[in-house]
Amino acid sequence: MVGNLIKGKNLPRAVLELDFLAKRAGDPIKKLLLSAAANAKHNTQVEADGLFVKELRVDKGITMKRMRPAAMGQGHRVKKRTSNLSVLLGKID
């Protein structure tokens, strides 16, 4: 949901919307966008104002399997799911 919210928007607008978003996924995605903007500035000398979010994909990551104690000496399996984020920034012409 958070990825679809900022897709296609310019970078300063997307970061501003993530600041005021009440979803828990907003902070990691904001950190990813700022890192991608810093990489674009360092590698291709493009300012952050001239970038927009072209694509943001959230794919399934690994699932860690853990055990949680339960009644009568048993253990129940807990799946801790992760995700992989990939962002593609485009230059505004």
Side-chain angles (χ1 to χ4, degrees), residues 1-9 14 17-18 21 23 25 29 33 53-58 85-86:
M1 286 179 14
V2 178
N4 290 333
L5 177 72
I6 62 170
K7 198 181 299 183
K9 297 188 177 171
E17 286 190 13
L18 288 174
L21 190 65
K23 298 279 184 193
I29 293 178
L33 283 179
V53 181
K54 193 172 188 177
E55 180 183 357
L56 181 70
R57 287 188 4 204
V58 181
L85 298 173
S86 60

Side-chain angles (χ1 to χ4, degrees), residues 2-49:
V2 178
N4 290 333
L5 177 72
I6 62 170
K7 198 181 299 183
K9 297 188 177 171
N10 62 356
L11 194 67
R13 171 80 178 181
V15 170
L16 185 67
E17 286 190 13
L18 288 174
D19 278 337
F20 295 103
L21 190 65
K23 298 279 184 193
R24 195 170 74 176
D27 288 334
I29 293 178
K30 177 185 167 192
K31 188 175 176 181
L32 175 72
L33 283 179
L34 293 176
S35 175
N39 284 339
K41 183 177 181 181
H42 181 267
N43 294 338
T44 60
Q45 288 75 32
V46 176
E47 291 298 322
D49 295 336

Side-chain angles (χ1 to χ4, degrees), residues 44-93:
T44 60
Q45 288 75 32
V46 176
E47 291 298 322
D49 295 336
L51 296 174
F52 73 99
V53 181
K54 193 172 188 177
E55 180 183 357
L56 181 70
R57 287 188 4 204
V58 181
D59 296 324
K60 181 180 171 184
I62 62 170
T63 301
M64 297 183 288
K65 295 162 183 84
R66 301 290 184 256
M67 296 298 285
R68 168 153 295 175
M72 299 172 58
Q74 294 179 354
H76 291 258
R77 179 171 284 188
V78 175
K79 294 180 181 178
K80 295 189 174 191
R81 300 174 195 266
T82 61
S83 58
N84 295 327
L85 298 173
S86 60
V87 66
L88 180 64
L89 298 178
K91 192 180 348 178
I92 298 174
D93 294 329

